[in-house]
Amino acid sequence: MGTLFKKIIDRELPADIVYEDELCMAFKDIHPQAPIHLLVIPKKEIPSLANISDEDKMLIGHIMLKVADIAQSAGLEKNGYRVITNIGTHGGQVVPHLHFHILGGERLGPLNSSMNSL
Ligand code: AMP
């Protein structure tokens, strides 16, 4: 696939990385939609949540645990935060490499058209 997130994983593109292990990586979104906006991605190239399979069970579970850990490390646990994954064209997905947005740091609005820019 060779998406720009793959280039970030391979250190061919710079990113503000806040967490990394053998399975996943988290970095700051380049166009933040909230005071804190992080992206958590698997290192495995999976286009979206619609493309996971049985063999990814452990990986997805690992990433969900890390999403919570990373949000806590970012100071978001007390007041809460939002986790979003966009899927395909109608979902507003721009980068075809599975990623989970972590958004927080302020009270977020309802999930309506104001979120369409994500
Ligand atoms: P999505 O619309 O769900 O595919 O989200 C893709 C996200 O990647 C957007 O929020 C972009 O701002 C973000 N993004 C694009 N390029 C970069 C980059 N080089 N570093 C960090 N975030 C990026």
Side-chain angles (χ1 to χ4, degrees):
M1 285 194 296
T3 68
L4 69 93
F5 288 175
K6 174 66 174 157
K7 291 190 170 68
I8 289 174
I9 293 165
D10 293 340
R11 302 296 204 279
E12 290 170 12
L13 263 184
D16 200 339
I17 296 166
V18 299
Y19 178 81
E20 181 174 17
D21 62 28
E22 70 282 8
L23 294 177
C24 68
M25 180 183 264
F27 49 89
K28 294 183 182 175
D29 195 292
I30 204 166
H31 295 125
Q33 303 298 313
I36 295 175
H37 187 173
L38 305 172
L39 300 173
V40 185
I41 68 171
K43 289 188 170 175
K44 180 178 176 183
E45 290 185 275
I46 302 172
S48 82
L49 198 67
N51 304 103
I52 59 171
S53 61
D54 260 7
E55 72 175 28
D56 299 316
K57 275 181 188 168
M58 288 288 291
L59 172 63
I60 298 301
H62 176 80
I63 290 174
M64 290 296 96
L65 289 167
K66 291 304 163 188
V67 162
D69 284 352
I70 291 162
Q72 183 179 30
S73 298
L76 297 176
E77 195 177 64
K78 181 167 175 282
N79 291 317
Y81 54 94
R82 182 172 289 160
V83 178
I84 290 176
T85 189
N86 293 326
I87 300 166
T89 309
H90 282 194
Q93 186 178 11
V94 173
V95 180
H97 182 123
L98 175 61
H99 52 282
F100 295 91
H101 297 259
I102 299 175
L103 295 142
E106 67 183 8
R107 189 181 181 94
L108 301 171
L111 273 178
N112 59 18
S113 57
S114 66
M115 301 295 293
N116 282 346
S117 60
L118 260 187

